[in-house]
Amino acid sequence: MRSFKLFDRLLGRSAAPAPFVAGEALGAMQAAMEAGRSCILPKGAVIVPEPKHPEAERIAASIRDFPEDWGWTMKGYKMIHTPSGFVLWVANQDYGLAEVYSNGGKGDFSKPEQEIIWPAVEGWLARHKVGFTGRLPKARITGRSGTFWCFAKEYPWAGVGDSPEEAYRAWRHAISAQARNDMKPGEYLQVRGATL
């Protein structure tokens, strides 16, 4: 021991502790524990229990962290992890979650596994709602020489009519199946499609 460290120790002066490097310290502790030796954890260390259901944790983490990797194979029933081809049955919470096998069979997850996976699935479903909300997008109406056009950027259809109301009505019937319920029998509306 060097003399100035000895004096510091004898006089009760504390030297600055060495900086804690997480990777090095944890690697050394893990090696010691695997060898069967005891080790002292640094002050403030948090011990995280090993997951009891690692497969469920991985599925939930994938759905939460990489939602763009998931899509529908059957809307409202089956989700697919596109990179791996893993299919998950998510029809409703009462039935439960299940893995869909390539032969069409299903392997149900246990209740504790479902409790881990289902919140991530609900979050994904909330972002990827199925169906029409019933609300039409905002449309633009332009007119020239007595002919009016109605269109919206989201749809490749334009309604044409002699008045703004006729143009909007034609456009609305072109993009919404619900709006077609109020069409009169034998009524024809003029609609144009965009060329791509």
Side-chain angles (χ1 to χ4, degrees), residues 68-72 79-86:
E68 65 279 355
D69 286 351
W70 291 83
W72 291 112
M79 287 172 53
I80 185 169
H81 183 246
T82 310
S84 67
F86 175 79

Side-chain angles (χ1 to χ4, degrees), residues 72 76-78 88-98 111 114 118 121-122 125:
W72 291 112
Y77 295 96
K78 296 179 188 174
L88 190 63
W89 174 269
V90 294
N92 59 29
Q93 192 171 7
D94 296 333
Y95 175 80
L97 299 169
K111 290 294 181 190
Q114 289 184 30
W118 191 255
V121 169
E122 282 180 328
L125 293 174

Side-chain angles (χ1 to χ4, degrees), residues 119-130:
V121 169
E122 282 180 328
W124 190 88
L125 293 174
R127 287 189 298 269
H128 299 84
K129 286 186 178 177
V130 179

Side-chain angles (χ1 to χ4, degrees), residues 81-167:
H81 183 246
T82 310
S84 67
F86 175 79
V87 179
L88 190 63
W89 174 269
V90 294
N92 59 29
Q93 192 171 7
D94 296 333
Y95 175 80
L97 299 169
E99 177 182 355
V100 179
Y101 303 128
S102 59
N103 65 1
K106 293 184 188 108
D108 295 342
F109 289 103
S110 67
K111 290 294 181 190
E113 289 175 322
Q114 289 184 30
E115 290 173 4
I116 294 168
I117 299 171
W118 191 255
V121 169
E122 282 180 328
W124 190 88
L125 293 174
R127 287 189 298 269
H128 299 84
K129 286 186 178 177
V130 179
F132 180 64
T133 61
R135 189 170 182 192
L136 295 172
K138 197 169 192 177
R140 297 187 87 187
I141 299 176
T142 60
R144 186 184 310 151
S145 304
T147 303
F148 292 89
W149 295 77
C150 180
F151 61 93
K153 290 180 181 179
E154 295 89 13
Y155 294 95
W157 302 103
V160 183
D162 294 332
S163 69
E165 293 82 17
E166 283 182 23

